[in-house]
Amino acid sequence: MTFLKKLGKYAIPLIVIGVGIFGARMMIAARPEPPKVAIKPPAVLVEVATAARQAVTFTVQSQGSISPRTRTTLVAEVSGQIVEVAPAFVAGGFFKKGDVLVRVDPSNYQNALKRAEAGVKRAETQVATENALAGYAAQDWERLRSLNATRGPASDLTLRKPQLAEALAELDSAEADYQRALKDLERTVIRAPYDGMVREKRADVGQFVNTGTALAESFATDVAEVRLPLTQADLRFVQLPRPGETGALPVKLHAQVGGAQQTWDGLVVRSEGVFDESQRVLHVVAQIPDPYEPPPGAEPARVGTFVTAEITGRTAGRLFVIPRHSLSRGDTLWIVGDDMKIQPQTVQIVRSDRDYAYIDGGLDEGERYCVTPPAQPLPGMEVRLDDDRPGSGSPVGTAAVADTGVRRDG
C-alpha cells in the first residue's frame, strides 16, 4: 500500500511532462516552413587602372663620391727656408696655371749660379787657349817638315789634340753645372702646374724644407670624377663602351646641399674593366666638367660630396608600367573582366624597382587590373569600382613614374 502511494506521487508529474513534450513536438511539426532566400555575397570595393603601353628608357641608379681627376702632392725640389707663400696657398684656395705658390730662399742658389757662370768663362778661356796652342803646334810642325827635320805624320799629342779635347770637355762640364745651377734657382719658385685648388697645406713661411718635402695637396678643377659601382644585373640595362671604343652615357648626379636638392649633368666616359672581387661590382667613371664653375644659382660640385646617380640606359621600347603592389606572388596580376569578376593573370616582368614593375607580356592593351588586390582574392570574385576616387580606371599617371628609375618617352 505504501509502495503504491509513492508510485502515484511521482507518476502524475512525469505524465504531465511527457504530455507537454509530445504537444510541443506536434506543434513544431505542424508549423509551416519559412521561405528560403539566396543571399548574394557582397562585392569587394577595388581601385582599377587600365593597362596601356608606354615608351620606356631604363636608367640605372648608383651612388658614389665626387673626387678630382688630377691630384698632386706639391714637393720642394730644393732645400732652403720658405720666404714667401701666395695668398691662395691656403686650404680651399684657388689658383691658375703658372701662379707662384711658394718661394724658397734663393740666395745660395744665386751664388751657385754665379760660380757656375765663372766656371763656364774659365772653360771657354781654356778652350780658346788650347785652340791657339794647337794652331801654333800645327805651324811649327809644318815648318819642321819644310826643313826636312822630320818625317812621317804628326802625332795627336804633337798637335795638342788631347789638350784641346780636354778643354772642350771641361767646357761641356762647366756648361752643365751652369744649367743645373740655373735650374735649381728656378726651382726655388714653386708654380701651379694647372688650374686648381689647394686641398691641404703642409708648409708655411719660415719653415726649412729639404728636397722632397711635401708642401701641399692640390687638385685640378677642370674635371671631377665619380666612381659608380654597377652590379651584373645592372649591366643588362646599360650599353657601356667596349674596351678601346669611345663613347659616353649621360648621367644625372643628385645631392642634398644646404637642405636643397642639387643636380649636375655628367657623362660616364669609361669603366675600370674588372669586377671588384669582394663586392662583385664593376666600377664605371662619370665626369663632371668645371665642377667649381656651376651655372648661376647652382651649387658647385664640391670634391667629397656624396651623390646618387641616374645613368641613362637602354631604350626598352613600349612596356606596361604597373605599380609593384598591384602584383600578387611576384608575377600575378588580378584582371577585372566586363562581368566585374576578377581572374588571376601571370605576367612577364622585364624589370622591377622599388615602386614599379615593367611588363612586356601576359597583359593586353586596355585590360583593367586591380591597383590594390583584395586581401584574399579568389578567381571569380565579384568586385565593384571605387568610382569616387579621382583618376579611377585610368592608367598610372606620368607624375608617379617620374620618381622611379625609368624615363618614359611620349
Side-chain angles (χ1 to χ4, degrees):
M1 188 68 178
T2 302
F3 174 73
L4 292 175
K5 287 183 179 179
K6 291 182 178 180
L7 181 61
K9 181 180 179 180
Y10 291 108
I12 293 174
L14 292 174
I15 292 172
V16 174
I17 293 173
V19 171
I21 294 173
F22 178 77
R25 287 184 175 180
M26 292 300 293
M27 292 175 65
I28 292 173
R31 71 178 180 178
E33 288 287 336
K36 295 182 179 180
V37 179
I39 300 177
K40 184 178 181 181
V44 179
L45 181 66
V46 295
E47 179 187 359
V48 301
T50 303
R53 289 186 179 269
Q54 306 165 39
V56 173
T57 298
F58 285 131
T59 62
V60 174
Q61 296 186 349
S62 186
Q63 297 175 328
S65 295
I66 299 176
S67 61
R69 181 184 64 173
T70 305
R71 65 184 75 189
T72 306
T73 299
L74 298 177
V75 299
E77 296 184 82
V78 294
S79 299
Q81 187 180 45
I82 296 176
V83 295
E84 181 186 347
V85 296
F89 192 70
V90 292
F94 288 90
F95 51 79
K96 294 292 185 180
K97 182 177 180 179
D99 287 353
V100 176
L101 300 178
V102 177
R103 290 183 186 272
V104 176
D105 184 5
S107 56
N108 292 336
Y109 300 97
Q110 290 171 344
N111 295 333
L113 180 63
K114 291 178 180 179
R115 289 194 298 270
E117 187 176 5
V120 170
K121 292 181 178 179
R122 284 195 300 270
E124 289 176 345
T125 302
Q126 185 65 27
V127 169
T129 301
E130 290 296 335
N131 268 322
L133 292 176
Y136 294 151
Q139 293 176 3
D140 291 342
W141 176 255
E142 291 297 332
R143 189 178 303 109
L144 291 173
R145 288 190 62 184
S146 65
L147 298 174
N148 294 322
T150 182
R151 295 181 180 179
S155 66
D156 291 343
L157 188 60
T158 302
L159 299 178
R160 300 187 63 86
K161 290 183 178 180
Q163 293 85 340
L164 179 59
E166 181 182 7
L168 291 172
E170 289 293 336
L171 177 59
D172 290 340
S173 177
E175 289 177 344
D177 290 341
Y178 176 80
Q179 292 297 326
R180 182 177 63 184
L182 180 62
K183 196 67 176 178
D184 285 344
L185 181 59
E186 293 175 353
R187 288 169 176 166
T188 60
V189 179
I190 291 89
R191 297 182 181 273
Y194 41 65
D195 293 352
M197 188 179 83
V198 177
R199 184 169 190 171
E200 180 184 359
K201 179 181 177 181
R202 298 185 182 179
D204 212 333
V205 174
Q207 181 175 342
F208 185 88
V209 294
N210 292 313
T211 302
T213 299
L215 304 178
E217 293 283 341
S218 67
F219 60 85
T221 56
D222 57 342
V223 175
E225 293 187 339
V226 184
R227 293 178 73 239
L228 301 171
L230 298 181
T231 65
Q232 291 181 338
D234 291 335
L235 296 180
R236 296 173 50 200
F237 306 107
V238 294
Q239 183 66 49
L240 295 178
R242 294 184 176 274
E245 294 181 351
T246 58
L249 297 177
V251 59
K252 288 189 176 295
L253 303 167
H254 309 283
Q256 286 286 339
V257 180
Q261 180 79 1
Q262 297 291 329
T263 300
W264 302 282
D265 293 326
L267 293 173
V268 175
V269 296
R270 69 180 187 276
S271 72
E272 296 187 352
V274 294
F275 275 92
D276 186 290
E277 295 181 356
S278 60
Q279 300 179 353
R280 305 309 305 166
V281 294
L282 174 69
H283 284 93
V284 298
V285 178
Q287 291 186 346
I288 308 172
D290 298 322
Y292 283 87
E293 296 181 6
E299 288 287 330
R302 296 180 178 89
V303 168
T305 303
F306 184 79
V307 296
T308 59
E310 293 182 359
I311 304 172
T312 302
R314 300 176 186 270
T315 299
R318 300 185 67 82
L319 301 175
F320 296 106
V321 182
I322 305 298
R324 282 195 64 176
H325 64 262
S326 300
L327 298 170
S328 300
R329 298 189 299 274
D331 60 353
T332 300
L333 197 63
W334 288 89
I335 304 300
V336 180
D338 295 336
D339 56 358
M340 299 306 297
K341 294 182 179 180
I342 60 174
Q343 298 294 336
Q345 181 68 40
T346 301
V347 295
Q348 299 175 4
I349 300 175
V350 176
R351 187 190 182 193
S352 60
D353 55 30
R354 183 183 61 184
D355 299 316
Y356 290 91
Y358 308 95
I359 296 171
D360 189 32
L363 188 62
D364 293 329
E365 188 90 16
E367 282 190 314
R368 295 183 300 176
Y369 62 90
C370 295
V371 176
T372 303
Q376 295 179 347
L378 294 173
M381 177 184 290
E382 189 170 351
V383 297
R384 59 190 177 91
L385 301 183
D386 185 6
D387 294 328
D388 296 333
R389 293 176 60 111
S392 176
S394 63
V396 178
T398 303
V401 179
D403 295 332
T404 69
V406 171
R407 187 177 76 243
R408 294 166 44 192
D409 303 321

